[in-house]
């Protein structure tokens, strides 16, 4: 290759590389921005969590709820309660109501933030309608759960010393991705259980401690529905659960997930699932997985004697 062409390539190649990087950054800028905001709390962006924190604090903070609907979305949207006072680290369940005032199905998406903006890094949501594109049928009205807590680390931040209230704001806008929508009817009390969603919840919120086929920080859960509580082989239970004499029916599992300490005082289970739709779907998944576990055991010529 002639020296002059080589010289031109030495100039052009770095330019093409730089242009490629710039186009890539432009294409992924929204995702990168959301990731940055989520990691830092920038702009009052809240955090997403999958379980309670390990500690609570005596300090309290009042959370005020603000709701808005953007022009072009024919919805009514408002909190069922205007404010709540919570201890730092306390998991709290609240509800918002959404109603489609129009004559056609409509998909909305909730934008959100907290003020003061510096509190965003400490505000954690476990369950929220804002995680999805949401669809409402004509004139349908739904109560939607939000489960959140304020991280106890809030109390250690000198910038938060004089913060006594946090405002959580939502604005519902018409969705630009309606094909990705979930039906808000899933929050109705008589909605059918969704084991597929339950499996997703199990993966997000349970697998840090539980597996279907081996003991971890928590006992194995394969075949859990219909078995005796506190008797998974090789797992060291709390005396309270070992002596409880419970059978893990779907109803008992629902009560256990809602508040383990209320069902069995002295149990070590640290996680609660406050919103009923999530519990319903988790139990549906555990029931389906239990049937598959038992069917597999039967296909292998025996039924496991291990009780969970």
């Amino acid at each position: 290759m002639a020296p002059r062409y080589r010289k031109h390539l030495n100039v052009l190649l770095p330019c093409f590389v730089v242009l490629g990087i710039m186009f890539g950054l432009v294409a992924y800028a929204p995702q990168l921005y959301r990731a940055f905001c989520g990691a830092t709390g920038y702009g009052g962006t809240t955090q997403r969590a999958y379980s309670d924190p390990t500690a609570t604090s005596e300090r309290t903070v009042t959370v005020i709820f603000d709701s808005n609907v953007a022009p072009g979305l024919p919805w009514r949207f408002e909190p069922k309660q205007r404010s709540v006072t919570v201890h730092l680290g306390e998991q709290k369940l609240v509800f918002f109501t959404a109603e489609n005032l129009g004559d056609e199905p409509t998909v909305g998406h909730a934008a959100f933030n907290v003020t003061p903006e510096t509190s965003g890094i400490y505000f954690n949501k476990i369950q929220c309608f804002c995680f999805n594109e949401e669809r409402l049928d004509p004139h349908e009205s739904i109560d939607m759960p939000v489960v959140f807590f304020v991280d106890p680390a809030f109390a250690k931040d000198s910038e938060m010393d004089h913060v006594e209230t946090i405002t959580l704001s939502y604005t519902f806008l018409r969705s630009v991705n309606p094909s990705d929508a979930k039906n808000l009817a899933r929050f109705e009390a008589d909605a059918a259980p969704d084991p597929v969603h339950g499996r997703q919840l199990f993966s997000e919120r349970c697998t840090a401690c539980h597996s279907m086929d081996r003991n971890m920080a928590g006992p194995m859960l394969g075949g859990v529905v219909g078995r005796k509580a506190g008797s998974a082989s090789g797992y060291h239970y709390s005396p309270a659960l070992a002596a409880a004499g419970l059978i893990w029916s779907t109803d008992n599992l629902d009560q256990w997930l809602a508040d383990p300490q209320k069902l069995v005082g002295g149990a070590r289970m640290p996680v609660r699932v406050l919103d009923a739709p999530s519990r319903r779907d988790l139990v549906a998944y555990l029931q389906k997985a239990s049937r598959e576990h038992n069917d597999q055991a039967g296909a292998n010529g025996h039924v496991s004697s291990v009780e969970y």
Side-chain angles (χ1 to χ4, degrees), residues 7-244:
K7 181 178 180 180
H8 290 161
L9 283 174
N10 289 340
V11 173
L12 290 173
L13 283 174
C15 291
F16 286 133
V17 171
V18 171
L19 285 172
I21 292 172
M22 291 176 65
F23 280 122
L25 289 174
V26 169
Y28 289 98
Q31 293 91 330
L32 291 171
Y33 181 75
R34 285 194 293 270
F36 169 77
C37 292
T40 64
Y42 180 77
T45 303
T46 61
Q47 310 300 296
R48 185 168 183 177
Y50 297 103
S51 62
D52 297 25
T54 56
T56 58
S57 168
E58 289 300 314
R59 182 175 171 181
T60 61
V61 63
T62 298
V63 180
I64 300 171
F65 304 107
D66 174 55
S67 60
N68 308 276
V69 178
L73 184 67
W75 286 16
R76 177 180 66 87
F77 170 57
E78 59 189 18
K80 300 282 284 186
Q81 58 288 291
R82 287 296 170 184
S83 67
V84 294
T85 298
V86 296
H87 288 274
L88 301 185
E90 175 190 2
Q91 189 182 152
K92 193 68 176 180
L93 171 65
V94 297
F95 289 90
F96 287 71
T97 298
E99 180 182 7
N100 182 357
L101 304 176
D103 296 325
E104 297 180 351
T106 315
V107 177
H109 178 78
F112 56 88
N113 74 318
V114 292
T115 53
E117 293 182 353
T118 49
S119 66
I121 193 68
Y122 302 112
F123 198 100
N124 293 265
K125 285 185 281 193
I126 296 175
Q127 165 65 30
C128 184
F129 52 84
C130 60
F131 296 158
N132 305 292
E133 310 296 310
E134 302 287 8
R135 181 171 69 86
L136 269 176
D137 290 332
H139 306 289
E140 184 177 30
S141 178
I142 299 291
D143 289 341
M144 307 174 295
V146 175
V147 180
F148 71 90
F149 65 88
V150 181
D151 195 309
F154 180 93
K156 300 177 182 178
D157 187 338
S158 60
E159 291 188 28
M160 301 293 108
D161 284 349
H162 302 293
V163 176
E164 297 181 354
T165 62
I166 297 173
T167 300
L168 173 62
S169 297
Y170 289 103
T171 299
F172 253 113
L173 310 96
R174 187 179 286 271
S175 175
V176 296
N177 297 304
S179 62
D180 297 332
K182 293 191 174 184
N183 196 325
L184 279 169
R186 69 188 187 277
F187 292 126
E188 292 181 343
D190 59 352
D194 183 356
V196 174
H197 181 236
R199 181 173 184 171
Q200 176 187 342
L201 290 172
F202 185 85
S203 176
E204 293 172 346
R205 302 174 65 170
C206 306
T207 52
C209 295
H210 290 284
S211 169
M212 288 296 172
D213 57 6
R214 61 190 177 91
N215 293 325
M216 298 171 60
M220 65 182 83
L221 295 179
V224 63
V225 177
R227 301 295 182 90
K228 185 179 179 181
S231 58
S233 178
Y235 186 77
H236 179 65
Y237 285 93
S238 65
L241 190 58

